Amino acid sequence: MSGQAEILHLHGPLTIKTIANVRDIIQVYLQEAAALRRSLVIDIDGNEDIDLTLPQLLLSARHTADQTGVTIALNKPADGNFLTVLQRAGLLGGDQQEDSFWLKGKAA
């Protein structure tokens, strides 16, 4: 991958009502990142309305990114509503490598 990254800013409610659109947007960005041999950085506002569908989608996106050779990362550590959803879902299990995706941001 080159040193450049595609940056995707996700705004507005990130819930089951909007997740299909968010999925489509992430797919386009992943395809573009793969074509340009770049990483993908996702910026999420933790103060937005967020439910479990967002972390589920991001886990799936990470799997797809791994298969296509794209590095995917969050722009900053999860915070606010996003962090609360991750905690309630049990996605922060103490595995330092796995938790670093959610808690370290692009510097991880």
Side-chain angles (χ1 to χ4, degrees):
M1 291 288 131
S2 71
Q4 296 181 342
E6 295 295 308
I7 300 174
L8 170 58
H9 302 278
L10 295 179
H11 302 285
L14 302 167
T15 65
I16 196 164
K17 292 180 181 180
T18 61
I19 208 66
N21 290 333
V22 175
R23 179 204 60 221
D24 294 344
I25 292 166
I26 289 175
Q27 284 177 336
V28 168
Y29 271 77
L30 278 173
Q31 290 169 352
E32 187 172 324
L36 297 173
R37 300 183 48 87
R38 294 181 173 176
S39 59
L40 174 60
V41 175
I42 300 176
D43 180 35
I44 298 168
D45 181 351
N47 295 318
E48 296 290 353
D49 188 15
I50 295 172
D51 68 17
L52 184 57
T53 58
L54 179 63
Q56 289 173 326
L57 177 62
L58 293 175
L59 288 170
S60 177
R62 285 178 66 197
H63 179 72
T64 300
D66 286 345
Q67 291 179 332
T68 58
V70 173
T71 301
I72 189 170
L74 299 180
N75 189 46
K76 64 182 193 273
D79 62 356
N81 294 333
F82 188 29
L83 181 59
T84 300
V85 168
L86 293 171
Q87 291 167 331
R88 288 183 180 166
L91 290 172
L92 301 176
D95 179 320
Q96 190 174 23
Q97 181 178 1
E98 198 58 34
D99 289 354
S100 70
F101 174 76
W102 308 112
L103 300 177
K104 298 288 185 191
K106 66 182 178 183

